[in-house]
Amino acid sequence: MRSLKSAKELVPGGLVVEAGNARDYETGDWRTEKPEVDFGKCIHCFFCWAYCPDASVNVDPEAGKMKGFDLRHCKGCGICAGVCPKKAITMVLEQRSATKARDDHG
């Protein structure tokens, strides 16, 4: 786990002073829900990719397919699920997902 910065290390006012610094942080830490895709319904239209404000939708451009989500940076806003024309993406609680993962993997 990453350690928190001390008060002396913080930028006054919480300003972003360096462009593109979001890649240095795992902004998905505060997410309460995460997207899950049903690939049986997905038509790989990339609406989710186009609308994601965090560039958290992984695609394979050569295959023309959506591959899943980068959960390190997904904040769980649910825009992807809202714009999906086939309702292939659903938002699930992180706790429920952990339980499911435990059930799936023993």
Side-chain angles (χ1 to χ4, degrees):
M1 180 174 174
R2 192 178 46 211
S3 64
L4 297 175
K5 291 182 177 182
S6 72
K8 291 181 180 178
E9 296 173 306
L10 294 175
V11 177
L15 299 173
V16 175
V17 294
E18 178 185 342
N21 68 355
R23 73 177 140 252
D24 298 334
Y25 301 98
E26 293 188 7
T27 52
D29 289 352
W30 62 71
R31 182 184 59 242
T32 58
E33 292 184 322
K34 71 174 190 175
E36 285 187 353
V37 63
D38 178 346
F39 285 106
K41 294 180 181 177
C42 180
I43 59 172
H44 305 282
C45 64
F46 297 143
F47 277 21
C48 53
W49 174 80
Y51 282 90
C52 179
D54 301 312
S56 296
V57 178
N58 295 325
V59 298
D60 181 345
E62 292 180 15
K65 297 204 179 238
M66 186 268 211
K67 296 175 22 182
F69 299 96
D70 174 2
L71 295 176
R72 292 174 301 142
H73 298 102
C74 171
K75 297 184 198 92
C77 67
I79 291 174
C80 55
V83 299
C84 180
K86 293 296 185 179
K87 305 296 180 206
I89 301 170
T90 54
M91 300 302 291
V92 297
L93 290 174
E94 285 286 331
Q95 185 176 20
R96 191 174 95 198
S97 294
T99 301
K100 183 178 183 308
R102 187 174 50 243
D103 292 344
D104 289 347
H105 300 290

XYZ file of all heavy atoms in Angstrom:
807
model
N 0.840 -1.182 0.000
C 0.000 0.000 0.000
C 0.881 1.239 0.000
O 1.882 1.307 0.680
C -0.918 -0.006 1.211
C -1.813 1.179 1.275
S -2.970 0.976 2.659
C -3.753 2.525 2.616
N 0.468 2.179 -0.802
C 1.189 3.422 -0.943
C 1.031 4.248 0.335
O -0.021 4.299 0.942
C 0.589 4.150 -2.140
C 1.333 5.292 -2.630
C 0.648 5.887 -3.835
N -0.772 6.012 -3.561
C -1.697 5.929 -4.478
N -1.403 5.703 -5.692
N -2.972 6.059 -4.171
N 2.105 4.881 0.802
C 2.008 5.706 1.997
C 1.473 7.093 1.636
O 1.657 7.569 0.519
C 3.369 5.823 2.670
O 4.270 6.489 1.823
N 0.803 7.701 2.565
C 0.248 9.037 2.342
C 1.334 10.087 2.480
O 2.293 9.918 3.236
C -0.865 9.303 3.351
C -2.069 8.375 3.254
C -3.051 8.679 4.387
C -2.753 8.536 1.919
N 1.162 11.194 1.752
C 2.113 12.291 1.840
C 1.876 13.067 3.130
O 0.758 13.140 3.620
C 1.943 13.233 0.653
C 2.363 12.625 -0.664
C 2.221 13.627 -1.782
C 2.716 13.014 -3.077
N 2.638 13.951 -4.186
N 2.935 13.653 3.630
C 2.787 14.514 4.799
C 2.254 15.868 4.347
O 2.255 16.182 3.150
C 4.133 14.693 5.506
O 4.979 15.520 4.727
N 1.797 16.670 5.292
C 1.261 17.992 4.977
C 2.288 18.852 4.255
O 1.944 19.644 3.378
C 0.783 18.674 6.251
N 3.569 18.700 4.571
C 4.611 19.505 3.924
C 4.863 19.075 2.484
O 5.368 19.847 1.681
C 5.916 19.407 4.718
C 5.834 20.094 6.061
C 7.136 20.000 6.802
C 7.015 20.706 8.153
N 8.229 20.606 8.942
N 4.498 17.854 2.133
C 4.710 17.356 0.774
C 3.550 17.674 -0.165
O 3.691 17.577 -1.381
C 4.909 15.835 0.797
C 6.152 15.404 1.530
C 6.223 13.902 1.677
O 5.258 13.301 2.202
O 7.248 13.342 1.254
N 2.387 18.057 0.386
C 1.221 18.342 -0.443
C 1.365 19.680 -1.149
O 1.954 20.623 -0.621
C -0.042 18.351 0.415
C -0.430 17.010 1.035
C -1.621 17.196 1.960
C -0.735 15.991 -0.042
N 0.806 19.770 -2.362
C 0.796 21.017 -3.112
C -0.263 21.924 -2.493
O -1.393 21.487 -2.276
C 0.461 20.753 -4.596
C 0.371 22.055 -5.366
C 1.476 19.811 -5.201
N 0.083 23.192 -2.184
C -0.908 24.102 -1.592
C -2.164 24.206 -2.469
O -2.065 24.351 -3.678
C -0.175 25.443 -1.522
C 1.272 25.067 -1.523
C 1.373 23.818 -2.349
N -3.307 24.083 -1.841
C -4.578 24.207 -2.547
C -4.958 22.955 -3.319
O -5.957 22.926 -4.008
N -4.157 21.921 -3.238
C -4.464 20.691 -3.961
C -4.394 20.854 -5.471
O -5.053 20.144 -6.213
N -3.595 21.808 -5.941
C -3.496 22.082 -7.374
C -2.782 20.952 -8.103
O -1.895 20.300 -7.550
C -2.738 23.384 -7.608
C -3.355 24.641 -7.019
C -2.407 25.826 -7.190
C -4.685 24.927 -7.685
N -3.150 20.758 -9.339
C -2.439 19.827 -10.216
C -1.396 20.669 -10.950
O -1.734 21.499 -11.783
C -3.398 19.144 -11.212
C -2.617 18.282 -12.183
C -4.431 18.341 -10.466
N -0.139 20.478 -10.619
C 0.912 21.332 -11.180
C 1.668 20.652 -12.317
O 2.485 21.264 -12.973
C 1.902 21.764 -10.077
C 1.219 22.675 -9.068
C 2.516 20.560 -9.380
N 1.380 19.401 -12.542
C 2.078 18.677 -13.592
C 1.041 17.983 -14.478
O 0.263 17.162 -14.008
C 3.000 17.636 -12.957
C 3.744 16.775 -13.936
C 4.538 15.680 -13.234
O 4.789 15.789 -12.023
O 4.866 14.708 -13.896
N 1.042 18.314 -15.755
C 0.087 17.689 -16.671
C 0.388 16.203 -16.827
O 1.544 15.784 -16.839
C 0.161 18.374 -18.026
N -0.659 15.406 -16.931
C -0.504 13.982 -17.185
C -0.060 13.178 -15.990
O 0.379 12.043 -16.142
N -0.190 13.716 -14.795
C 0.288 12.982 -13.623
C -0.693 11.912 -13.155
O -0.361 11.127 -12.277
C 0.637 13.920 -12.479
C -0.574 14.610 -11.903
O -1.681 14.468 -12.402
N -0.359 15.371 -10.847
N -1.881 11.822 -13.750
C -2.862 10.824 -13.319
C -2.340 9.406 -13.536
O -2.725 8.493 -12.829
C -4.181 11.011 -14.064
N -1.450 9.221 -14.494
C -0.925 7.875 -14.746
C -0.066 7.386 -13.581
O 0.185 6.204 -13.452
C -0.163 7.829 -16.058
C 1.170 8.508 -16.002
C 1.942 8.383 -17.317
N 2.603 9.641 -17.572
C 2.268 10.508 -18.490
N 1.292 10.247 -19.300
N 2.903 11.645 -18.631
N 0.376 8.308 -12.722
C 1.190 7.931 -11.567
C 0.358 7.448 -10.386
O 0.904 6.978 -9.394
C 2.051 9.118 -11.107
C 3.033 9.554 -12.182
O 3.410 8.700 -13.024
O 3.413 10.732 -12.183
N -0.951 7.608 -10.484
C -1.824 7.260 -9.368
C -2.816 6.176 -9.783
O -3.243 6.122 -10.931
C -2.600 8.493 -8.894
C -1.700 9.608 -8.459
C -1.406 10.655 -9.312
C -1.118 9.590 -7.207
C -0.559 11.675 -8.920
C -0.268 10.599 -6.799
C 0.005 11.638 -7.661
O 0.852 12.633 -7.274
N -3.178 5.346 -8.857
C -4.213 4.354 -9.112
C -5.518 4.946 -8.603
O -5.917 4.728 -7.456
C -3.870 3.031 -8.442
C -2.657 2.390 -9.072
C -2.378 0.991 -8.572
O -3.186 0.422 -7.817
O -1.321 0.478 -8.964
N -6.171 5.700 -9.472
C -7.358 6.454 -9.073
C -8.565 5.558 -8.827
O -9.582 6.027 -8.352
C -7.704 7.512 -10.131
O -7.781 6.872 -11.400
C -6.652 8.603 -10.155
N -8.460 4.291 -9.142
C -9.566 3.378 -8.878
C -9.679 2.996 -7.418
O -10.592 2.268 -7.036
N -8.770 3.490 -6.579
C -8.776 3.148 -5.159
C -10.068 3.531 -4.449
O -10.458 2.885 -3.495
C -7.613 3.821 -4.432
C -6.274 3.206 -4.790
O -6.264 2.171 -5.484
O -5.248 3.767 -4.383
N -10.722 4.601 -4.876
C -11.901 5.071 -4.148
C -13.210 4.552 -4.747
O -14.282 4.932 -4.321
C -11.930 6.593 -4.048
C -12.017 7.326 -5.349
C -13.091 7.394 -6.180
C -10.996 8.111 -5.949
N -12.812 8.160 -7.259
C -11.533 8.628 -7.149
C -9.696 8.443 -5.603
C -10.786 9.443 -7.995
C -8.973 9.257 -6.444
C -9.501 9.739 -7.606
N -13.133 3.678 -5.727
C -14.313 3.148 -6.395
C -15.117 2.254 -5.432
O -14.556 1.494 -4.651
C -13.838 2.330 -7.598
C -14.919 1.742 -8.442
C -14.341 0.872 -9.561
N -13.545 -0.200 -9.007
C -12.238 -0.366 -9.228
N -11.588 0.453 -10.024
N -11.587 -1.345 -8.667
N -16.444 2.377 -5.487
C -17.304 1.487 -4.697
C -17.993 0.460 -5.583
O -18.417 -0.576 -5.115
C -18.369 2.271 -3.914
O -19.159 3.029 -4.830
C -17.728 3.191 -2.891
N -18.121 0.795 -6.870
C -18.690 -0.138 -7.828
C -17.723 -0.279 -8.986
O -16.971 0.642 -9.284
C -20.027 0.368 -8.378
C -21.136 0.386 -7.367
C -22.456 0.815 -7.994
O -22.446 1.710 -8.867
O -23.484 0.255 -7.606
N -17.760 -1.427 -9.624
C -16.902 -1.602 -10.794
C -17.723 -2.167 -11.950
O -18.739 -2.842 -11.737
C -15.741 -2.524 -10.473
C -16.120 -3.967 -10.302
C -14.889 -4.814 -10.127
C -15.253 -6.285 -10.205
N -14.100 -7.147 -10.162
N -17.285 -1.884 -13.179
C -18.024 -2.400 -14.330
C -17.654 -3.845 -14.616
O -16.507 -4.251 -14.441
C -17.557 -1.484 -15.470
C -16.192 -1.055 -15.072
C -16.199 -0.991 -13.565
N -18.655 -4.585 -15.030
C -18.421 -5.940 -15.518
C -19.124 -6.061 -16.867
O -20.239 -5.566 -17.035
C -18.971 -6.991 -14.547
C -18.123 -7.150 -13.313
C -18.555 -8.311 -12.424
O -19.602 -8.943 -12.681
O -17.839 -8.562 -11.448
N -18.449 -6.699 -17.805
C -19.010 -6.819 -19.157
C -19.436 -8.249 -19.431
O -18.756 -9.198 -19.059
C -17.993 -6.317 -20.215
C -16.736 -7.154 -20.225
C -18.628 -6.273 -21.593
N -20.588 -8.377 -20.056
C -21.087 -9.664 -20.522
C -20.717 -9.734 -22.003
O -21.365 -9.124 -22.851
C -22.609 -9.734 -20.316
C -23.216 -11.039 -20.815
O -22.528 -11.784 -21.553
O -24.384 -11.296 -20.484
N -19.652 -10.461 -22.298
C -19.178 -10.519 -23.674
C -20.159 -11.234 -24.604
O -20.044 -11.126 -25.817
C -17.788 -11.156 -23.735
C -16.709 -10.222 -23.263
C -16.114 -10.399 -22.030
C -16.312 -9.156 -24.046
C -15.132 -9.526 -21.583
C -15.342 -8.274 -23.623
C -14.739 -8.462 -22.385
N -21.128 -11.926 -24.043
C -22.173 -12.536 -24.868
C -23.115 -11.484 -25.447
O -23.739 -11.701 -26.483
N -23.220 -10.335 -24.786
C -24.074 -9.250 -25.258
C -23.284 -8.158 -25.982
O -23.827 -7.432 -26.801
C -24.792 -8.591 -24.080
C -25.793 -9.460 -23.374
C -26.419 -8.677 -22.225
C -27.415 -9.464 -21.444
N -27.946 -8.679 -20.304
N -21.998 -8.018 -25.678
C -21.171 -6.927 -26.208
C -21.037 -7.026 -27.727
O -20.734 -8.105 -28.262
C -19.779 -6.971 -25.558
S -18.657 -5.669 -26.140
N -21.278 -5.901 -28.426
C -21.134 -5.862 -29.885
C -19.866 -5.101 -30.285
O -19.664 -4.806 -31.450
C -22.380 -5.238 -30.555
C -22.612 -3.813 -30.042
C -23.604 -6.130 -30.344
C -23.698 -3.045 -30.794
N -19.015 -4.761 -29.308
C -17.724 -4.100 -29.541
C -17.893 -2.805 -30.344
O -17.167 -2.540 -31.281
C -16.746 -5.054 -30.236
C -16.575 -6.337 -29.472
N -15.786 -6.424 -28.354
C -17.140 -7.555 -29.648
C -15.850 -7.664 -27.882
N -16.673 -8.361 -28.636
N -18.872 -2.008 -29.943
C -19.145 -0.735 -30.614
C -18.215 0.373 -30.136
O -18.127 1.416 -30.755
C -20.592 -0.316 -30.379
S -20.990 0.012 -28.632
N -17.546 0.154 -29.020
C -16.588 1.094 -28.416
C -17.234 2.355 -27.853
O -16.545 3.337 -27.610
C -15.469 1.482 -29.388
C -14.607 0.324 -29.807
C -14.131 0.258 -31.106
C -14.271 -0.685 -28.932
C -13.338 -0.792 -31.518
C -13.473 -1.742 -29.328
C -13.007 -1.800 -30.621
N -18.544 2.367 -27.679
C -19.163 3.518 -27.020
C -18.557 3.687 -25.625
O -18.271 4.793 -25.198
C -20.675 3.334 -26.906
C -21.449 3.704 -28.135
C -20.857 3.756 -29.377
C -22.796 3.998 -28.038
C -21.576 4.088 -30.507
C -23.534 4.342 -29.160
C -22.918 4.379 -30.396
N -18.379 2.584 -24.918
C -17.812 2.647 -23.565
C -16.408 3.253 -23.606
O -16.055 4.077 -22.768
C -17.784 1.268 -22.923
S -16.970 -0.013 -23.918
N -15.630 2.882 -24.580
C -14.264 3.393 -24.728
C -14.291 4.895 -25.029
O -13.524 5.663 -24.460
C -13.554 2.636 -25.853
C -12.213 3.154 -26.205
C -11.040 2.917 -25.548
C -11.901 4.018 -27.286
N -10.013 3.584 -26.172
C -10.514 4.264 -27.243
C -12.659 4.614 -28.300
C -9.870 5.078 -28.169
C -12.019 5.421 -29.216
C -10.643 5.641 -29.146
N -15.196 5.310 -25.912
C -15.274 6.715 -26.311
C -15.735 7.618 -25.167
O -15.290 8.753 -25.048
C -16.213 6.869 -27.508
N -16.623 7.118 -24.326
C -17.188 7.959 -23.268
C -16.445 7.868 -21.935
O -16.666 8.696 -21.061
C -18.661 7.603 -23.040
C -19.578 8.196 -24.082
C -19.891 7.505 -25.243
C -20.118 9.464 -23.905
C -20.716 8.047 -26.205
C -20.946 10.018 -24.856
C -21.243 9.308 -26.007
O -22.063 9.858 -26.952
N -15.595 6.893 -21.757
C -14.915 6.731 -20.464
C -14.007 7.932 -20.182
O -13.063 8.194 -20.928
C -14.081 5.449 -20.455
S -13.188 5.226 -18.893
N -14.260 8.658 -19.100
C -13.429 9.833 -18.793
C -12.047 9.469 -18.257
O -11.177 10.329 -18.169
C -14.246 10.572 -17.728
C -15.054 9.514 -17.077
C -15.349 8.491 -18.140
N -11.832 8.212 -17.925
C -10.565 7.796 -17.334
C -9.738 6.899 -18.248
O -8.723 6.357 -17.804
C -10.831 7.066 -16.015
C -11.576 7.941 -15.043
O -11.159 9.100 -14.871
O -12.581 7.489 -14.478
N -10.162 6.723 -19.492
C -9.458 5.843 -20.434
C -9.228 4.466 -19.807
O -8.157 3.885 -19.931
C -8.145 6.465 -20.895
N -10.254 3.958 -19.149
C -10.137 2.688 -18.430
C -10.699 1.496 -19.202
O -10.735 0.401 -18.672
C -10.851 2.782 -17.081
O -10.210 3.739 -16.273
N -11.137 1.724 -20.412
C -11.653 0.615 -21.213
C -10.521 0.118 -22.107
O -9.953 0.875 -22.892
C -12.862 1.039 -22.066
C -13.344 -0.118 -22.925
C -13.987 1.557 -21.173
N -10.181 -1.141 -21.956
C -9.119 -1.737 -22.753
C -9.703 -2.310 -24.036
O -10.715 -3.017 -23.997
C -8.432 -2.863 -21.966
C -7.709 -2.345 -20.757
O -7.147 -1.254 -20.774
N -7.717 -3.118 -19.684
N -9.060 -1.983 -25.137
C -9.506 -2.504 -26.427
C -8.324 -3.117 -27.160
O -7.168 -2.770 -26.915
C -10.150 -1.396 -27.303
C -11.384 -0.832 -26.646
C -9.156 -0.305 -27.637
N -8.644 -4.022 -28.050
C -7.646 -4.582 -28.961
C -7.970 -4.001 -30.327
O -8.884 -4.478 -31.013
C -7.740 -6.107 -28.970
C -6.708 -6.743 -29.886
O -6.109 -6.028 -30.718
O -6.515 -7.962 -29.774
N -7.254 -2.946 -30.762
C -7.604 -2.281 -32.013
C -7.430 -3.170 -33.238
O -8.162 -3.033 -34.214
C -6.662 -1.075 -32.055
C -5.570 -1.378 -31.109
C -6.115 -2.343 -30.108
N -6.489 -4.075 -33.198
C -6.279 -4.948 -34.356
C -7.423 -5.940 -34.521
O -7.837 -6.241 -35.634
C -4.951 -5.684 -34.224
C -3.762 -4.744 -34.329
C -2.435 -5.462 -34.203
O -2.407 -6.702 -34.323
O -1.435 -4.771 -33.976
N -7.936 -6.436 -33.399
C -9.059 -7.377 -33.446
C -10.399 -6.649 -33.477
O -11.432 -7.257 -33.756
C -9.004 -8.310 -32.243
N -10.401 -5.325 -33.169
C -11.649 -4.570 -33.140
C -12.551 -5.015 -32.007
O -13.767 -5.049 -32.159
N -11.948 -5.325 -30.853
C -12.743 -5.836 -29.736
C -12.422 -5.105 -28.437
O -11.292 -4.707 -28.195
C -12.465 -7.323 -29.551
C -12.875 -8.121 -30.761
C -13.164 -9.532 -30.419
C -13.587 -10.245 -31.669
N -14.846 -10.822 -31.609
N -13.448 -4.999 -27.630
C -13.288 -4.495 -26.278
C -12.805 -5.665 -25.432
O -13.324 -6.773 -25.552
C -14.645 -3.976 -25.774
C -14.584 -3.294 -24.443
S -14.875 -4.437 -23.113
C -15.641 -3.362 -21.953
N -11.773 -5.416 -24.614
C -11.163 -6.516 -23.862
C -11.516 -6.524 -22.378
O -11.292 -7.515 -21.705
C -9.641 -6.453 -23.996
C -9.155 -6.661 -25.401
C -7.671 -6.501 -25.595
C -6.823 -6.674 -24.396
N -5.410 -6.461 -24.598
N -11.983 -5.409 -21.861
C -12.286 -5.334 -20.431
C -11.936 -3.960 -19.893
O -11.911 -2.985 -20.640
N -11.631 -3.901 -18.601
C -11.423 -2.610 -17.962
C -10.096 -2.569 -17.208
O -9.670 -3.573 -16.641
C -12.560 -2.321 -16.973
C -13.889 -2.259 -17.628
C -14.724 -3.369 -17.652
C -14.302 -1.108 -18.265
C -15.952 -3.329 -18.277
C -15.526 -1.046 -18.891
C -16.353 -2.161 -18.897
N -9.488 -1.414 -17.193
C -8.306 -1.154 -16.371
C -8.830 -0.664 -15.017
O -9.135 0.512 -14.856
C -7.425 -0.100 -17.032
C -6.260 0.322 -16.162
O -6.096 -0.222 -15.039
O -5.516 1.213 -16.591
N -8.983 -1.569 -14.086
C -9.596 -1.216 -12.800
C -8.670 -0.419 -11.898
O -9.104 0.114 -10.889
C -10.083 -2.484 -12.099
C -11.214 -3.203 -12.845
C -11.578 -4.492 -12.135
C -12.420 -2.302 -13.009
N -7.398 -0.299 -12.257
C -6.500 0.542 -11.458
C -6.890 2.017 -11.578
O -6.639 2.811 -10.685
C -5.056 0.377 -11.918
C -4.480 -1.001 -11.620
C -3.115 -1.162 -12.221
N -3.213 -0.974 -13.670
C -2.319 -0.356 -14.405
N -1.235 0.132 -13.878
N -2.486 -0.219 -15.706
N -7.513 2.372 -12.706
C -7.862 3.774 -12.938
C -9.354 4.026 -13.049
O -9.786 5.172 -13.067
C -7.139 4.288 -14.180
C -5.662 4.258 -14.035
N -4.873 3.287 -14.595
C -4.826 5.036 -13.322
C -3.618 3.492 -14.260
N -3.554 4.540 -13.477
N -10.169 2.991 -13.149
C -11.627 3.157 -13.227
C -12.146 3.626 -11.874
O -11.902 2.987 -10.857
C -12.282 1.828 -13.601
S -14.080 1.850 -13.466
N -12.868 4.761 -11.896
C -13.415 5.302 -10.646
C -14.822 4.788 -10.381
O -15.433 5.139 -9.398
C -13.401 6.815 -10.689
C -12.019 7.395 -10.781
C -12.082 8.909 -10.713
C -10.822 9.524 -11.234
N -10.887 9.841 -12.655
N -15.373 3.987 -11.299
C -16.698 3.408 -11.094
C -17.825 4.387 -11.344
O -18.881 4.268 -10.734
N -17.640 5.313 -12.275
C -18.674 6.329 -12.527
C -19.910 5.741 -13.189
O -20.994 6.285 -13.068
C -18.109 7.466 -13.373
S -17.678 7.002 -15.072
N -19.745 4.655 -13.945
C -20.894 3.999 -14.574
C -21.292 4.568 -15.922
O -22.294 4.142 -16.495
N -20.516 5.511 -16.448
C -20.853 6.074 -17.762
C -20.846 4.972 -18.819
O -21.719 4.908 -19.678
C -19.890 7.219 -18.132
C -20.140 8.413 -17.219
C -20.037 7.611 -19.602
C -19.156 9.558 -17.385
N -19.885 4.073 -18.747
C -19.791 2.977 -19.728
C -21.074 2.152 -19.736
O -21.587 1.796 -20.800
C -18.577 2.104 -19.433
S -18.521 1.433 -17.746
N -21.591 1.852 -18.557
C -22.816 1.065 -18.468
C -24.008 1.861 -19.006
O -24.887 1.311 -19.659
C -23.073 0.649 -17.025
N -23.999 3.158 -18.765
C -25.100 4.011 -19.222
C -25.168 4.173 -20.731
O -26.252 4.301 -21.294
N -24.005 4.178 -21.395
C -24.002 4.401 -22.850
C -24.027 3.099 -23.652
O -24.193 3.142 -24.868
C -22.796 5.256 -23.299
C -22.847 6.632 -22.650
C -21.478 4.555 -23.036
N -23.869 1.978 -23.001
C -23.827 0.696 -23.715
C -25.202 0.405 -24.342
O -26.187 0.235 -23.619
C -23.435 -0.436 -22.772
S -23.371 -2.045 -23.618
N -25.282 0.340 -25.675
C -26.586 0.136 -26.323
C -27.161 -1.264 -26.106
O -28.355 -1.470 -26.276
C -26.289 0.380 -27.809
C -24.842 0.072 -27.966
C -24.196 0.476 -26.655
N -26.345 -2.227 -25.741
C -26.809 -3.600 -25.542
C -26.911 -3.982 -24.070
O -27.154 -5.138 -23.742
C -25.863 -4.586 -26.250
C -25.904 -4.450 -27.755
C -27.281 -4.820 -28.262
C -27.337 -4.809 -29.775
N -28.649 -5.182 -30.256
N -26.676 -3.005 -23.186
C -26.725 -3.256 -21.735
C -25.810 -4.436 -21.359
O -26.138 -5.259 -20.508
C -28.153 -3.523 -21.250
C -29.131 -2.428 -21.616
C -28.774 -1.146 -20.940
C -29.753 -0.033 -21.295
N -29.178 1.290 -21.199
N -24.657 -4.482 -22.011
C -23.687 -5.553 -21.752
C -22.821 -5.255 -20.532
O -22.154 -6.143 -20.024
C -22.787 -5.749 -22.973
N -22.840 -3.998 -20.082
C -22.016 -3.605 -18.934
C -22.921 -3.311 -17.754
O -23.888 -2.563 -17.873
C -21.160 -2.367 -19.266
C -20.255 -2.653 -20.465
C -20.339 -1.936 -18.054
C -19.542 -1.434 -21.012
N -22.610 -3.913 -16.635
C -23.338 -3.638 -15.402
C -22.341 -3.212 -14.330
O -21.183 -3.628 -14.350
C -24.112 -4.872 -14.903
O -23.207 -5.963 -14.786
C -25.233 -5.243 -15.849
N -22.813 -2.389 -13.435
C -21.978 -1.937 -12.327
C -22.301 -2.823 -11.120
O -23.471 -3.030 -10.790
C -22.261 -0.468 -11.988
C -21.992 0.483 -13.142
S -20.304 0.419 -13.770
C -19.409 1.119 -12.391
N -21.270 -3.368 -10.513
C -21.455 -4.255 -9.359
C -20.656 -3.706 -8.181
O -19.612 -3.083 -8.354
C -21.021 -5.700 -9.676
C -21.881 -6.282 -10.778
C -19.561 -5.760 -10.051
N -21.165 -3.947 -6.997
C -20.465 -3.504 -5.800
C -19.132 -4.223 -5.677
O -19.037 -5.418 -5.959
C -21.302 -3.762 -4.555
C -22.540 -2.894 -4.398
C -23.344 -3.370 -3.182
C -22.160 -1.440 -4.240
N -18.117 -3.525 -5.244
C -16.806 -4.135 -5.071
C -16.880 -5.300 -4.087
O -16.278 -6.313 -4.294
C -15.803 -3.103 -4.547
C -15.347 -2.135 -5.580
C -14.374 -2.741 -6.562
O -13.628 -3.670 -6.200
O -14.357 -2.276 -7.697
N -17.650 -5.155 -3.006
C -17.746 -6.207 -2.004
C -18.345 -7.468 -2.605
O -17.865 -8.564 -2.356
C -18.586 -5.733 -0.837
C -18.641 -6.715 0.303
C -19.414 -6.146 1.470
O -20.198 -5.222 1.321
N -19.183 -6.686 2.630
N -19.395 -7.284 -3.414
C -20.018 -8.433 -4.045
C -19.045 -9.114 -4.993
O -18.974 -10.324 -5.065
C -21.266 -7.996 -4.797
C -22.097 -9.188 -5.237
C -23.391 -8.782 -5.842
N -23.169 -8.750 -7.286
C -23.932 -8.123 -8.151
N -24.953 -7.432 -7.733
N -23.684 -8.132 -9.422
N -18.242 -8.310 -5.680
C -17.275 -8.881 -6.597
C -16.239 -9.681 -5.840
O -15.812 -10.735 -6.289
C -16.583 -7.768 -7.387
O -17.514 -7.143 -8.207
N -15.801 -9.187 -4.678
C -14.812 -9.903 -3.890
C -15.381 -11.242 -3.431
O -14.704 -12.260 -3.457
C -14.382 -9.069 -2.694
N -16.650 -11.240 -3.044
C -17.293 -12.474 -2.624
C -17.374 -13.446 -3.791
O -17.072 -14.625 -3.661
C -18.713 -12.175 -2.093
O -18.596 -11.269 -1.012
C -19.401 -13.439 -1.631
N -17.750 -12.920 -4.963
C -17.852 -13.771 -6.143
C -16.486 -14.339 -6.503
O -16.364 -15.522 -6.808
C -18.421 -12.976 -7.316
C -18.632 -13.815 -8.554
C -19.233 -12.980 -9.669
C -19.528 -13.779 -10.918
N -18.457 -14.554 -11.431
N -15.451 -13.502 -6.444
C -14.103 -13.974 -6.769
C -13.677 -15.074 -5.804
O -13.093 -16.076 -6.212
C -13.123 -12.811 -6.717
N -14.007 -14.900 -4.533
C -13.663 -15.910 -3.540
C -14.409 -17.213 -3.849
O -13.853 -18.294 -3.788
C -13.995 -15.396 -2.147
C -13.511 -16.305 -1.025
C -13.728 -15.719 0.365
N -15.085 -15.243 0.568
C -15.428 -13.975 0.809
N -14.502 -13.059 0.894
N -16.673 -13.618 0.981
N -15.701 -17.079 -4.231
C -16.488 -18.260 -4.569
C -15.951 -18.939 -5.831
O -15.914 -20.158 -5.925
C -17.956 -17.894 -4.774
C -18.621 -17.459 -3.477
O -18.053 -17.724 -2.399
O -19.699 -16.850 -3.561
N -15.529 -18.100 -6.795
C -15.031 -18.653 -8.054
C -13.693 -19.373 -7.891
O -13.398 -20.312 -8.603
C -14.860 -17.539 -9.095
C -16.194 -17.008 -9.578
O -17.234 -17.647 -9.318
O -16.187 -15.933 -10.213
N -12.878 -18.872 -6.963
C -11.521 -19.409 -6.826
C -11.318 -20.236 -5.560
O -10.208 -20.566 -5.209
C -10.503 -18.270 -6.870
C -10.574 -17.507 -8.146
N -10.164 -18.030 -9.345
C -11.062 -16.273 -8.424
C -10.376 -17.145 -10.308
N -10.918 -16.073 -9.776
N -12.381 -20.548 -4.876
C -12.292 -21.427 -3.708
C -11.956 -20.758 -2.499
O -11.325 -20.350 -1.781
